[in-house]
Amino acid sequence: MAVVLKLEHISKIYGDLKALDDINLEVQEGEWLSIMGPSGSGKSTMMNIIGCMDTPSMGKVLLEGQDLSALTGAELTSIRRDKIGLIFQQFHLVNYLTALENVMLAQYYHSLPDEQEALEALKQVGLEKRASHLPSQLSGGEQQRVCIARALINYPRVILADEPTGNLDENNEKLVIELFKRMHEEGRTVIVVTHDPEVAEHSQRTVIIDHGRLSKTVHNT
Amino acid sequence: MNKQLFFLRMLLSSLLRRRSRLLVALLAVGLGATLLSGLVTLYKDVPRQLGREFRSYGANLVITSDSTHPLTVALAEQAAALVPQDKLIGHSSCRYENIRINELPFMASGCELEQLRKTAPYWQVDGQWPQAGEVLLGQQVAASLGAFAGDVLELALTARGAQEPRTFKVAGLLKTGSAEEKFVYLPLSELLSLTSDERVDITEFSIQAGEQELGTLAQTMRESTGQHVRLVRRVTHSEVTVLSKLKALVYIVTVVVLVLTMVCVATTMVAVVAERRREIGLRKALGASDRGIFAEFMGESVLLGLGGGVLGAVLGYLFADAVSEQVFGRPVQVNVWLSLVTVLLSIVVTALSCVVPVKSASRVDPAQVLRGE
């Protein structure tokens, strides 16, 4: 298996605070990795760096061998658009666009909007009949599934999810985990940042961060 | 679906599905455009309207007879043909002769009375305006003669002593409060039948035009007829003074309203953009460039400006029309160019008002706003 993502001696420093301290991590293609840790441990900082929304103070981030550490904001935007699919805890759908249009929005920034393809992505998450609904007309679980369809639509190299079940009830949590399982079975690389050990135990590997350092790696069976 | 089509779909969705926000912004733009359009319509139309009002002060251009080239009705008509018909309120030729009534001397004025009613609308006639065989007596003449409307008088030209006097009926008495009350008025054709020639002494024009345009017309008439043509300075100068002061006042108000509109629209747009910071952050996280974000918001502001501008052009016209009807009792003219300028200006003002807030919002850090910071 090829290495898709590699973090080499990554540190992120805010004034006197070291949010990340000399992190080394490799993610294989098709791997499902969970990142766990208590609040303030540096999970979000790590997610921002992997998701090209921030750059490290020290060290290198290599995505498919390309060093992201020295890229400009515009170049990082381009990497984010082409190679990363983002899933958020709070869904972050555009509230005046329908479910279908929210999926097409990712296509619009990536290449060309294709209504049929976007509809197919919604079908994959079981929402083809809710395509014309606005986010306010969807439940939390449905919104998260739209968010997943949006993340998948451009066939990103890495799917990065920040607490994807954090705002969901038990039933919807199960539905979302099933979708992650399916993504993994399809060979996609999935990185999930979570508090929830039940979510993490579905992944192949869990890394635990504490005070900005990788404290433990667990290989789930 | 191509990108442009989806771009338009997004803009329309943003405007149509965020109706309450749209309404606030549209109201700000539309109200500004209404005031601007209305005020500029009045600014443009007030001279026309007031020009008509000023015409009630009497003639503003006169042609007088030259001893070598006598003025005739035909020459006066030739001069009238040079005036654009939509600006000519009226023109009246008059001939003055010394007359005797009941052996008392007076000055008679034979005039085109139908036209005179247009050029001197301030004349007050107690009784009727004279027809053939009738005269209108100035108040002072009537007092001298002890005459009233309905009386019959014998009138003869002084210069033709041997001429038999003719009988005229007094149709009415004239009150103007000035020198006109010393005259006896009768139809021009009646007086010319007594003098047996076609000469007239003066032709008065009431023309709806500014001083400069009148000057040009006077010059053209001079060249065409060879007569003395002059402006009635007292009237034209007052008109120019009042109009220029009024225009300056409307101009200042218009500029103040324009500035206030820009401030109002800018404030509204700042609020609209600020509440969409999270959406901007999301779009950036999905891969939108700063330029892309800027283009999307500017697209929205252009549509908003277009909507507000059209609304403002229509309401502005209605506002100006209502003011004009109230003040002058006449409607304003529809000005297509002004409507187009209103719409364009609304688009420009709205777009300009968006530049600073959108530029600043497009620099947001997506990681920060998506975390809710």
Side-chain angles (χ1 to χ4, degrees):
Chain A
M1 282 280 182
V3 173
V4 175
L5 179 74
K6 189 172 183 183
L7 307 187
E8 287 181 357
H9 303 291
I10 291 296
S11 293
K12 183 70 182 180
I13 301 163
Y14 299 105
D16 295 335
L17 176 73
K18 263 194 172 178
L20 291 177
D21 186 5
D22 196 31
I23 299 279
N24 289 287
L25 180 70
E26 281 188 4
V27 182
Q28 307 291 323
E29 188 172 0
E31 185 180 0
W32 180 354
L33 172 79
S34 292
I35 301 172
M36 284 189 72
S39 294
S41 60
K43 294 192 307 291
S44 294
T45 308
M46 194 158 152
M47 171 168 167
N48 289 340
I49 289 173
I50 296 172
C52 296
M53 290 189 279
D54 203 353
T55 50
S57 308
M58 284 184 280
K60 273 186 181 178
V61 182
L62 299 162
L63 182 63
E64 294 187 304
Q66 183 184 7
D67 186 2
L68 309 181
S69 327
L71 296 185
T72 63
E75 287 165 334
L76 284 174
T77 299
S78 159
I79 298 284
R80 204 160 57 226
R81 178 171 59 219
D82 296 336
K83 297 189 174 176
I84 293 171
L86 291 166
I87 298 167
F88 307 98
Q89 179 180 2
Q90 287 154 329
F91 325 130
H92 291 311
L93 299 175
V94 177
N95 58 10
Y96 55 84
L97 296 182
T98 62
L100 182 71
E101 288 165 344
N102 265 287
V103 178
M104 290 170 76
L105 186 65
Q107 292 179 308
Y108 170 75
Y109 290 124
H110 179 265
S111 48
L112 280 179
D114 182 333
E115 200 162 335
Q116 279 311 311
E117 200 181 356
L119 207 55
E120 184 56 35
L122 284 177
K123 195 175 174 186
Q124 293 294 318
V125 297
L127 286 178
E128 72 274 23
K129 288 185 180 158
R130 311 284 276 167
S132 59
H133 287 65
L134 292 171
S136 57
Q137 298 164 320
L138 300 173
S139 69
E142 287 172 328
Q143 288 189 52
Q144 189 58 294
R145 282 188 279 157
V146 174
C147 188
I148 291 170
R150 183 179 65 190
L152 294 176
I153 192 73
N154 294 323
Y155 302 97
R157 300 296 296 145
V158 175
I159 292 163
L160 187 57
D162 181 16
E163 301 284 2
T165 58
N167 277 350
L168 301 182
D169 59 27
E170 202 176 330
N171 286 338
N172 278 306
E173 182 177 320
K174 279 181 187 163
L175 268 173
V176 168
I177 289 172
E178 282 307 312
L179 286 172
F180 275 93
K181 276 185 185 168
R182 204 198 303 163
M183 282 188 250
H184 175 55
E185 283 160 13
E186 287 168 357
R188 295 178 188 268
T189 307
V190 182
I191 301 174
V192 178
V193 176
T194 181
H195 269 104
D196 189 347
E198 282 185 36
V199 175
E201 74 183 15
H202 293 281
S203 64
Q204 291 171 290
R205 184 164 57 119
T206 303
V207 293
I208 296 165
I209 304 182
D210 197 11
H211 292 98
R213 299 183 70 91
L214 275 186
S215 64
K216 195 175 172 187
T217 301
V218 179
H219 290 274
N220 303 312
T221 50
Chain B
M1 182 182 291
N2 64 33
K3 281 199 147 187
Q4 287 77 12
L5 214 58
F6 189 73
F7 178 77
L8 200 63
R9 186 167 162 176
M10 276 197 303
L11 295 192
L12 291 176
S13 298
S14 170
L15 294 176
L16 298 177
R17 292 185 186 141
R18 293 165 54 247
R19 283 197 203 100
S20 56
R21 293 284 173 269
L22 171 74
L23 208 66
V24 172
L26 199 66
L27 215 63
V29 179
L31 196 65
T34 301
L35 286 173
L36 271 181
S37 161
L39 283 172
V40 176
T41 302
L42 288 174
Y43 178 79
K44 287 275 186 196
D45 211 59
V46 157
R48 187 178 69 88
Q49 302 279 21
L50 267 184
R52 277 195 164 272
E53 297 298 321
F54 267 101
R55 294 298 90 250
S56 63
Y57 289 99
N60 52 358
L61 184 147
V62 293
I63 303 179
T64 46
S65 188
D66 185 316
S67 55
T68 52
H69 301 97
L71 178 62
T72 60
V73 172
L75 272 175
E77 290 303 324
Q78 184 183 323
L82 297 170
V83 184
Q85 288 309 295
D86 59 326
K87 296 191 171 179
L88 181 62
I89 306 292
H91 68 289
S92 170
S93 296
C94 296
R95 166 79 175 261
Y96 296 96
E97 283 293 338
N98 290 311
I99 56 164
R100 285 177 286 113
I101 300 176
N102 301 344
E103 299 305 322
L104 289 171
F106 294 100
M107 180 65 81
S109 173
C111 290
E112 293 170 312
L113 294 168
E114 273 307 309
Q115 290 291 319
L116 193 64
R117 293 175 78 163
K118 296 178 190 168
T119 58
Y122 58 94
W123 281 20
Q124 288 182 10
V125 172
D126 186 7
Q128 303 293 320
W129 281 77
Q131 304 292 323
E134 294 179 337
V135 292
L136 179 68
L137 296 183
Q139 188 76 23
Q140 292 183 28
V141 177
S144 306
L145 293 169
F148 298 95
D151 290 355
V152 175
L153 306 169
E154 286 194 332
L155 185 153
L157 294 181
T158 306
R160 292 164 174 79
Q163 193 180 44
E164 276 297 307
R166 276 177 57 184
T167 304
F168 286 89
K169 184 183 169 191
V170 178
L173 306 183
L174 172 66
K175 291 180 197 166
T176 65
S178 60
E180 289 94 345
E181 292 185 0
K182 295 176 183 167
F183 289 78
V184 176
Y185 294 90
L186 64 162
L188 179 63
S189 53
E190 296 277 356
L191 189 66
L192 292 182
S193 71
L194 292 173
T195 60
S196 307
D197 63 49
E198 289 297 310
R199 185 174 64 81
V200 294
D201 295 306
I202 188 168
T203 304
E204 294 184 341
F205 285 82
S206 181
I207 301 168
Q208 194 186 332
E211 193 172 23
Q212 199 178 355
E213 196 179 348
L214 280 176
T216 312
L217 259 175
Q219 181 61 30
T220 315
M221 286 179 178
R222 217 169 278 133
E223 288 163 5
S224 171
T225 61
Q227 302 292 316
H228 290 303
V229 184
R230 62 184 174 83
L231 307 187
V232 182
R233 296 280 171 200
R234 179 171 48 89
V235 175
T236 53
H237 190 69
S238 311
E239 191 172 336
V240 168
T241 309
V242 171
L243 281 182
S244 59
K245 282 182 180 169
L246 199 66
K247 281 180 90 170
L249 180 70
V250 178
Y251 180 76
I252 290 167
V253 172
T254 306
V255 170
V256 170
V257 167
L258 180 64
V259 171
L260 288 178
T261 301
M262 281 192 80
V263 171
C264 182
V265 172
T267 312
T268 309
M269 293 317 288
V270 165
V272 166
V273 173
E275 69 179 19
R276 291 173 72 187
R277 271 169 62 85
R278 186 169 291 203
E279 180 197 327
I280 293 171
L282 168 70
R283 286 175 181 274
K284 290 190 78 171
L286 293 177
S289 62
D290 289 1
R291 268 180 68 180
I293 299 281
F294 187 73
E296 284 162 27
F297 275 82
M298 289 315 272
E300 275 188 34
S301 66
V302 165
L303 282 184
L304 200 61
L306 179 69
V310 170
L311 187 73
V314 173
L315 293 181
Y317 167 75
L318 294 177
F319 163 69
D321 195 55
V323 170
S324 181
E325 284 280 6
Q326 198 73 33
V327 176
F328 301 110
R330 280 187 293 270
V332 290
Q333 286 178 332
V334 178
N335 188 330
V336 178
W337 282 109
L338 181 62
S339 302
L340 286 177
V341 169
T342 302
V343 174
L344 280 177
L345 200 65
S346 297
I347 292 173
V348 171
V349 168
T350 315
L352 281 179
S353 305
C354 280
V355 170
V356 174
V358 172
K359 278 240 173 203
S360 131
S362 66
R363 283 195 289 268
V364 299
D365 175 1
Q368 268 189 359
V369 291
L370 293 179
R371 276 202 306 270
E373 289 174 17

